[in-house]
Amino acid sequence: MNDTPPEPAPRRWLYALLGSVLLVALGGFYWLDPTQHAIFPPCLFHKLTGWNCPGCGGQRALHQLLHGNVAAAFWLNPMLFLLTPLMAWWGWNLLHRKRSDAMDSPMHLRPAFGWGLLAAVILFTIARNIWQG
């Protein structure tokens, strides 16, 4: 017997809304190739500087990943490809944590993690622009 009370209705509506938005977005990335449709916004950083930002290639990588082209997705944006599971885990935990244990949850990250992630993103950006440039 499960003693856990059912989730409140507003949270279930939030899950349904987020799930619907995610499915529509993934459908758009599956059926529309970002290289051929103007509906996908170009990178403003790349337009202004000519350099690739950390997210450049992310839309094309997602399109390739949804079509099963894992190697192509990785080479279009390795950082995004590697961070996707981490972000999915973080989002899942954020949605399922209780208010009482917010400070004890794995989502209460130490500042060193944030600084380390920022340093990794900056180093990745520099490396990809040197390597591709």
Side-chain angles (χ1 to χ4, degrees), residues 21-107:
V21 169
L22 181 64
L23 285 176
V24 168
L26 289 175
F29 276 105
Y30 181 83
W31 283 293
L32 302 173
D33 186 352
T35 61
Q36 298 177 0
H37 292 87
I39 191 171
F40 298 100
C43 177
L44 185 60
F45 182 81
H46 184 74
K47 274 189 139 182
L48 292 174
T49 65
W51 299 339
N52 290 322
C53 77
C56 280
Q59 294 175 353
R60 292 173 284 143
L62 181 57
H63 177 76
Q64 292 298 322
L65 191 59
L66 290 172
H67 284 274
N69 302 327
V70 178
F74 179 81
W75 288 113
L76 285 167
N77 191 320
M79 172 74 69
L80 183 67
F81 186 84
L82 295 173
L83 286 180
T84 298
L86 177 67
M87 297 307 292
W89 173 81
W90 182 78
W92 179 264
N93 281 318
L94 190 62
L95 286 173
H96 287 88
R97 72 179 183 186
K98 296 177 182 147
R99 292 182 193 268
S100 61
D101 65 5
M103 294 303 284
D104 296 328
S105 81
M107 301 295 47

